[in-house]
Amino acid sequence: MQPQLYAHSRSSQSQLRHSLEDHLRGTAALARGFGAVFGAGEVAEYLALVHDVGKGCTAWQDRLVHHAEPYGKPVGVPHKGAGAELVDRFVGRPFAAAVEGHHGGLPDLQALAAALAKVKGSGLEGVQAREAFQSVAQLVPEIVRDQRIPLPQWLSGLSADRLRLGVDLLVRILFSCLVDADYLDTEAHFAGAPVRLAAPVDMGDLVKRFEERRSAFLRDRATTPVARLRERVYQEAVAAAEGKPGMFVLHVPTGGAKTLAAGGFALHHAAAHGLQRVIVAVPYTSITEQNAKVYRDLLDPPRTGNEKPVVLEHHSSVNLDEDDDVSEWARLTAENWDAPFVVTTTVQLFESLFARKPSAMRKLHRVAGSAIVLDEVQALPDQLLIPILSGLRDLVEHFGVTVVLASATQPEFWSLPEMQGIPKHMVVSDTAALFEQLRRVEYEWRLGEDVTWDSVAEEIAADGGPQVLSIVNTTKDAAHLHRLLKERVRGKVVHLSTRMTGGHRREVIEEIRADLRDGTPVRVVSTSLIEAGVDVDFPRVYRAWAPAESLQQAAGRCNRENLLPGLGTVVVFRPSDGSQPNDGVYKSALQATELYFGPDLAAPDDLASLRSYYGKRYAYLGSGGRPMGEDVESARRGLDFPEVDRLFQMIDNQHARPVLVIREDTAAEEIEADVAALRDPYGRLKDLSGVFRRLQPHIASLPRNEVDDALQAGLAEPVVGDLVLWLGSYDVERGLDPSRREDRSAYQI
C-alpha cells in the first residue's frame, strides 16, 4: 500500500497535514490558469506539478513529521532538484531554473547544472531523488511524459539573438506563475480556507462607472478653452482604444488631462480586447499617490457596500497595515496584483520584471494580458533603456500586452534598435497642433557669465511677483537660493528637496497648493522633484539650466490652467557659481540640450528640436562608453538571472543613503519601536515590510559621504542595511540642511 505523502505540516485551522498529491495538483491547476493567459498553460502546469516532487522521499517525509512539525524547524532535506531534473528532461534546461529557484530565486545556468548533476549522480541526493520519482509517480503519474512538452510557437520564429531574450522572459513569467500558485495553494492549506483568488471583473462595467463619474466630475468644472481641448484629447484617446493591442504613444502637453486620457484609453482598450487588468506605472511615489486618488474616485465602489475595491495602490510608502477590510484587501492583493486596476511605480514594475527572488516576481505574471500605462515615460533611466524597451517589446509581441507611453516630453525610443520594426500607434493624432493650442508660456534666457545666485535672487525678489517657483538642480543649490531669498523677501519663502522627509515634503506641497488657491504670496525654491507630476500652477517660474525635458516639465508648472490674461513666463538661467549632478547620463543630456535650445535656438517645447535632441543624446551615450543597459541585456542572453538582478538597479544607491528622522515628538515612540524591530536579529525572520512602509514618511536622503561623516561624528547611528537614524538637528524649513554642518557637541537629545 502506498504510504501517505505530505507537502506541509498540520494547519492550525484544520489540524490536517497537506497531502503532497493535493498540493501538486492544486498548484498545477492554478499555474495552468495563469499560464493560459499567454499561451503557455501546459508548461506552467507541468512546472507546478513537479516542483515539490523531491518531497516524496522517505528522508524528507520523516523530517517533516518528526522534526519540522513538532519543533518548528526547517525540514533540511533538499527537495527542489528532483522536479528540476524532470523539467530538464521534459521541457528544457532553462525552464528547470524555475523549479530549482522556487524558494531561493532563479539560479544561473552553471549553478543549475551543478544542482542537476547532484540529482543525477550516485550520491545521497541522487538516491533520494530517484526514490521520490518512484513514490510520487504512483500518485501523480503525469510527472513522467512520453514526449517533451511543447513551448509556445512564437519562440521558433525568433532570430538567434532574440531567441535567448525570449526564453529569458518566458522563464521569468513562468517562474512567477509557479511561485504565485505555490504561495496561494500553501496559504489556503494553512488558513483552512479555499484558495484566495479575486472574482473576475467585467471591464465593461468599469468603463461605464468611469464614464459616469467622470461626467459628474466635469459638470462641476467651468467650460474654458483649455477644458474643451482636454475633452478633445480624451475623446481621441477613447476612439484610439478600439485599435489592436500594441505599442501606443500618448503625447499630450502638460496640463492636457493626461491622467484621465491614459486611464480612459486603458479601460476602454481592455474592455474592447478582453484584457484582464490595467497597470499604471509612474516614476515617483508622489505621482503614484496623486494618480491613485484620481482613479479610486472614478472606479472604486462605495465604502458602504460589500464590493471589493478596484484600484490597488502599491508602492513603498502606502500604508497596508491598518485594521480594516480595505487595507486587508490591499495588503493581500499587493503580493500578486490580483486586482483589475493597479497603480504602482516604474521601479516596482521593472525591478519585478528583471528580479530573481520569488517575493519580487510573484506578481509578474499578472502583467500578461494587461494594458500598461507608463506615465512620465521621459523619466525612464537612460542607463537601462535597452533592457526596458526590449522587455516591453517582448511583452507586447508575445504576452498579450498593450503598452501606452505617456508624457508631455516623449523620448525618441523608435530611434533605438530595440523599437525598430514594432508599429508606433499615436493616441492623439495632431500632436503639433495640440501643443500650439495649449501653449501657455514664453521663455526668457539668462545664460551669460554675469549670472550668479545673487543676481538670480535679486531678480526673483524684485520681479518674480508674489507667487513664483524656482527650480534648481541640487539640494545644495536649493538651500543656498532659499537662504538668499529669505534675506531679500518679506513673506513666505518655501523650500523643497529630498533632504526633507517624505512626510514633510507632502505637508509643504499641500501648503503651497492652498496658498496658490487662496492667492496668498508664496515663493518656492525646489529641486526637480516638483516637476514630476506635482499639480501646481504659478504665473512665473525660474528654472536653472538642465536637460530639455526638465525645462519643459518646469514649464508645466507655469500658467497650467491658462488663467493669466497672457502667457506665463519661464526664465531659464545658468548661474556661473551653480552646480550640476555629477552623472555621465546627465552630462550627455546637457550636451545635447546646448545644441538645440537657447535664446537663438528653439524653445524646449519645439517638437522637432526635441526629436533631434533625443537622437543626439542617445548617440552621445553610445559613443561615450556609457552603455544603455547592454550589460543587463548580455546577462539576459546568457540566462544569468542573478547577474541581471544585480545589474538592473533603477534607483541609484551608490551616491545616497536613506536617513530616518524623528521630526516630531508625537511620532518618536512609534518610530523607536519600529527601529527596535529592524535591529532585532530574530525579527529578521518576520515580514518587516509593514515597518518599512510606516517609516517611509520619516525618511530623507543624504549623500553617502555626508552620512559617513555624521556616523563618525556621532550625529547618526546605523539601523539596518543602509538605513541610519539621525541624531543631529533637523531644520524646520530645509530639513537636513547642507549649510548647517554640526559637530557632536552641538546636538541635543
Side-chain angles (χ1 to χ4, degrees):
M1 180 178 175
Q2 171 73 20
Q4 176 74 321
L5 299 178
Y6 300 108
H8 300 110
S9 54
R10 294 184 191 276
S11 159
S12 61
Q13 301 299 313
S14 69
Q15 302 303 313
L16 299 174
R17 295 191 183 104
H18 199 183
S19 93
L20 183 57
E21 180 182 0
D22 287 349
H23 179 52
L24 294 180
R25 293 192 183 281
T27 305
L30 288 169
R32 184 182 184 95
F34 299 155
V37 174
F38 53 95
E42 188 177 0
V43 182
E45 178 186 44
Y46 187 76
L47 297 183
L49 193 69
V50 302
H51 79 286
D52 274 353
V53 162
K55 293 181 176 181
C57 70
T58 303
W60 198 94
Q61 294 292 313
D62 285 347
R63 290 278 292 181
L64 174 72
V65 174
H66 301 298
H67 179 76
E69 189 171 271
Y71 302 112
K73 302 283 181 126
V75 171
V77 175
H79 74 276
K80 298 175 293 183
E85 197 277 326
L86 287 168
V87 175
D88 184 37
R89 204 189 316 170
F90 296 114
V91 182
R93 174 66 56 91
F95 302 92
V99 171
E100 180 60 30
H102 76 271
H103 287 307
L106 289 166
D108 59 37
L109 291 183
Q110 186 175 355
L112 177 60
L116 291 172
K118 286 183 180 180
V119 173
K120 295 176 181 179
S122 57
L124 179 61
E125 201 166 326
V127 171
Q128 291 173 342
R130 286 186 284 277
E131 180 197 354
F133 291 151
Q134 293 176 0
S135 298
V136 176
Q138 295 182 52
L139 299 171
V140 188
E142 312 95 280
I143 66 171
V144 179
R145 300 298 176 99
D146 295 331
Q147 56 189 9
R148 289 171 72 91
I149 296 170
L151 295 169
Q153 289 187 350
W154 57 263
L155 280 173
S156 61
L158 298 179
S159 65
D161 182 59
R162 295 299 305 176
L163 177 61
R164 297 303 292 264
L165 297 172
V167 169
D168 167 86
L169 190 56
L170 182 58
V171 170
R172 292 174 182 281
I173 298 184
L174 286 169
F175 177 68
S176 173
C177 294
L178 166 60
V179 296
D180 190 27
D182 188 18
Y183 271 96
L184 287 168
D185 192 71
T186 302
E187 175 188 64
H189 160 69
F190 284 109
V195 170
R196 175 180 55 84
L197 283 177
V201 172
D202 187 326
M203 283 290 179
D205 289 345
L206 290 187
V207 166
K208 183 179 178 183
R209 181 184 294 173
F210 187 89
E211 291 294 346
E212 288 174 349
R213 293 186 183 176
R214 176 181 165 274
S215 296
F217 171 74
L218 292 177
R219 277 198 296 271
D220 299 329
R221 304 290 290 264
T223 301
T224 64
V226 170
R228 286 192 289 273
L229 282 171
R230 288 170 175 166
E231 181 62 18
R232 194 191 92 195
V233 167
Y234 184 81
Q235 294 304 330
E236 282 200 49
V238 169
E242 295 295 321
K244 292 180 180 178
M247 194 80 73
F248 287 79
V249 171
L250 177 58
H251 194 181
V252 177
T254 303
K258 175 165 51 68
T259 299
L260 286 178
F265 171 92
L267 283 167
H268 280 270
H269 187 76
H273 299 286
L275 304 185
Q276 298 186 327
R277 69 186 39 78
V278 172
I279 300 170
V280 178
V282 297
Y284 305 107
T285 300
S286 57
I287 320 175
T288 312
E289 294 168 340
Q290 181 178 289
N291 288 4
K293 182 182 184 308
V294 170
Y295 292 131
R296 272 197 300 269
D297 290 345
L298 291 167
L299 288 169
D300 270 358
R303 293 288 292 264
T304 53
N306 296 322
E307 192 178 346
K308 294 293 183 187
V310 169
V311 178
L312 170 69
E313 180 184 354
H314 185 212
H315 53 81
S316 59
S317 62
V318 68
N319 185 3
L320 302 178
D321 300 291
E322 295 177 11
D323 187 19
D324 61 52
D325 290 343
V326 172
S327 295
E328 175 68 6
W329 169 85
R331 185 184 66 78
L332 294 171
T333 307
E335 296 170 1
N336 67 351
W337 285 2
D338 190 12
F341 202 106
V342 179
V343 183
T344 187
T345 60
T346 48
V347 172
Q348 278 278 352
L349 176 64
F350 289 113
E351 290 198 348
S352 293
L353 186 61
F354 297 112
R356 64 178 288 262
K357 293 289 188 179
S359 56
M361 299 180 71
R362 179 180 172 186
K363 58 184 173 289
L364 181 58
H365 71 93
R366 301 290 183 184
V367 170
S370 69
I372 301 175
V373 176
L374 296 177
D375 200 4
E376 303 293 352
V377 73
Q378 82 285 347
L380 289 175
D382 284 9
Q383 66 271 20
L384 293 171
L385 273 184
I386 288 176
I388 286 174
L389 296 178
S390 173
L392 289 174
R393 178 176 189 148
D394 278 341
L395 287 174
V396 167
E397 292 184 334
H398 309 305
F399 292 89
V401 172
T402 280
V403 171
V404 183
L405 306 172
S407 177
T409 49
Q410 280 289 341
E412 277 299 297
F413 290 149
W414 270 261
S415 69
L416 297 171
E418 286 68 32
M419 296 292 278
Q420 289 174 11
I422 187 168
K424 177 181 181 181
H425 305 293
M426 298 301 296
V427 174
V428 176
S429 54
D430 194 347
T431 305
L434 184 63
F435 268 74
E436 189 57 41
Q437 291 165 328
L438 276 174
R439 186 178 301 280
R440 288 154 295 172
V441 305
E442 59 185 356
Y443 292 87
E444 295 181 3
W445 305 86
R446 312 278 191 271
L447 305 180
E449 289 297 322
D450 58 335
V451 179
T452 65
W453 283 120
D454 278 318
S455 70
V456 170
E458 289 288 350
E459 178 177 335
I460 294 171
D463 303 326
Q467 293 185 333
V468 58
L469 169 64
S470 307
I471 306 175
V472 301
N473 294 314
T474 66
T475 59
K476 179 182 175 183
D477 286 348
H480 183 52
L481 182 58
H482 183 256
R483 286 180 184 279
L484 292 175
L485 287 179
K486 291 277 286 185
E487 294 168 0
R488 289 165 170 79
V489 174
R490 293 183 63 184
K492 191 171 187 179
V493 183
V494 172
H495 169 277
L496 275 173
S497 84
T498 54
R499 286 177 175 267
M500 301 157 63
T501 66
H504 190 182
R505 294 197 303 269
R506 278 195 289 274
E507 291 168 15
V508 170
I509 289 171
E510 286 309 310
E511 284 182 29
I512 293 168
R513 286 174 171 153
D515 289 339
L516 291 172
R517 282 195 304 269
D518 298 341
T520 304
V522 58
R523 285 91 172 173
V524 179
V525 179
S526 177
T527 57
S528 60
L529 67 85
I530 202 168
E531 292 171 352
V534 179
D535 189 359
V536 290
D537 187 358
F538 287 84
R540 191 173 182 90
V541 170
Y542 285 76
R543 184 45 166 112
W545 181 249
E549 68 276 12
S550 293
L551 302 181
Q552 191 179 1
Q553 288 293 328
R557 313 309 126 197
C558 183
N559 196 21
R560 186 181 182 88
E561 296 298 325
N562 204 24
L563 299 177
L564 298 177
L567 297 174
T569 302
V570 177
V571 179
V572 180
F573 64 95
R574 181 162 52 193
S576 57
D577 51 348
S579 55
Q580 296 281 2
N582 187 24
D583 174 80
V585 171
Y586 192 90
K587 288 178 178 177
S588 293
L590 278 183
Q591 283 179 275
T593 301
E594 288 180 352
L595 289 178
Y596 296 102
F597 305 101
D600 299 318
L601 300 168
D605 53 9
D606 183 84
L607 298 185
S609 297
L610 277 168
R611 284 192 291 272
S612 299
Y613 155 77
Y614 274 111
K616 183 62 72 174
R617 172 173 160 173
Y618 297 151
Y620 280 150
L621 279 169
S623 63
R626 296 185 291 269
M628 301 166 71
E630 181 54 49
D631 52 351
V632 178
E633 202 74 339
S634 178
R636 288 185 62 212
R637 292 187 189 96
L639 302 179
D640 191 343
F641 301 105
E643 182 67 359
V644 171
D645 186 40
R646 185 186 73 81
L647 291 171
F648 194 93
Q649 301 294 325
M650 288 190 71
I651 298 176
D652 183 5
N653 294 318
Q654 287 184 302
H655 306 297
R657 285 185 68 171
V659 177
L660 179 60
V661 179
I662 300 178
R663 185 172 138 246
E664 299 172 348
D665 292 341
T666 53
E669 189 174 336
E670 291 181 3
I671 294 174
E672 288 166 355
D674 283 337
V675 167
L678 292 176
R679 285 174 167 162
D680 177 9
Y682 299 103
R684 309 285 171 81
L685 301 175
K686 303 173 185 175
D687 178 13
L688 296 174
S689 57
V691 172
F692 284 111
R693 282 192 292 270
R694 284 195 298 275
L695 292 178
Q696 197 75 27
H698 307 287
I699 291 177
S701 180
L702 278 183
R704 282 185 172 273
N705 64 313
E706 287 190 35
V707 174
D708 292 341
D709 291 345
L711 288 167
Q712 193 168 3
L715 295 169
E717 60 184 34
V719 178
V720 63
D722 265 4
L723 182 65
V724 301
L725 176 64
W726 189 251
L727 303 175
S729 67
Y730 183 90
D731 190 89
V732 294
E733 292 184 302
R734 291 182 290 272
L736 302 172
D737 190 340
S739 304
R740 289 185 59 185
R741 295 300 183 96
E742 304 173 78
D743 57 38
R744 174 69 180 177
S745 62
Y747 98 97
Q748 296 178 346
I749 297 177

